Amino acid sequence: MTIAVTKSRVEDKLFQNRYLVDPGRPHIKVRPHERPSANLLALTHVCPAKCYELNDKGQVEITPDGCMECGTCRILCETSGEIEWDYPRGGFGVLFKFG
C-alpha cells in the first residue's frame, strides 16, 4: 500500500484567504518620516503579506490590501508611533478560509 504525500507551500494556503478592501479607509498608516527606523525598514522583510515597501525616495510605504492582521507591524512599530493601526471596520479586512 502506497500513501501519497502532497506538500503544501505556505503561499498556496495564504492564497486561499480573501481580503475585502474598505475603499478610502486603510486600517494601517505609516506616519511621514525623513528616514525610516531600523524597525520600520524591517517590516519590508518580515511582513508575511509583503504590505510594506521602500519607495524610490527611501521611505517606507504600505499597501494594506491583503494584510493578514497578524500584528507583526504593531509589535515592531506601533509603540514608537511610526504606524497607526486600527482594526478594519466590521465586514472588511482578511477573510480566512481555514480558520
Side-chain angles (χ1 to χ4, degrees), residues 31-37 40 55 57-60:
R31 292 213 172 123
H33 54 279
E34 289 183 25
R35 292 178 46 188
S37 69
L40 197 54
N55 68 18
K57 296 178 183 176
Q59 296 181 330
V60 175

Side-chain angles (χ1 to χ4, degrees), residues 7-80:
K7 292 183 180 180
S8 296
R9 295 177 341 141
V10 171
E11 291 83 2
D12 295 334
K13 290 190 182 278
L14 291 176
F15 182 73
Q16 300 295 318
N17 298 331
R18 294 293 172 248
Y19 190 87
L20 187 57
V21 176
D22 190 357
R25 296 185 70 167
H27 71 284
I28 305 173
K29 296 176 186 170
V30 175
R31 292 213 172 123
H33 54 279
E34 289 183 25
R35 292 178 46 188
S37 69
N39 282 356
L40 197 54
L41 279 174
L43 288 178
T44 64
H45 300 290
V46 300
C47 174
K50 309 278 189 242
C51 292
Y52 293 86
E53 293 181 336
L54 197 61
N55 68 18
D56 56 353
K57 296 178 183 176
Q59 296 181 330
V60 175
E61 295 180 331
I62 183 167
T63 304
D65 304 357
C67 173
M68 297 188 308
E69 301 168 31
C70 67
T72 301
C73 58
R74 292 181 76 183
I75 292 169
L76 285 175
C77 295
E78 190 175 41
T79 56
S80 67

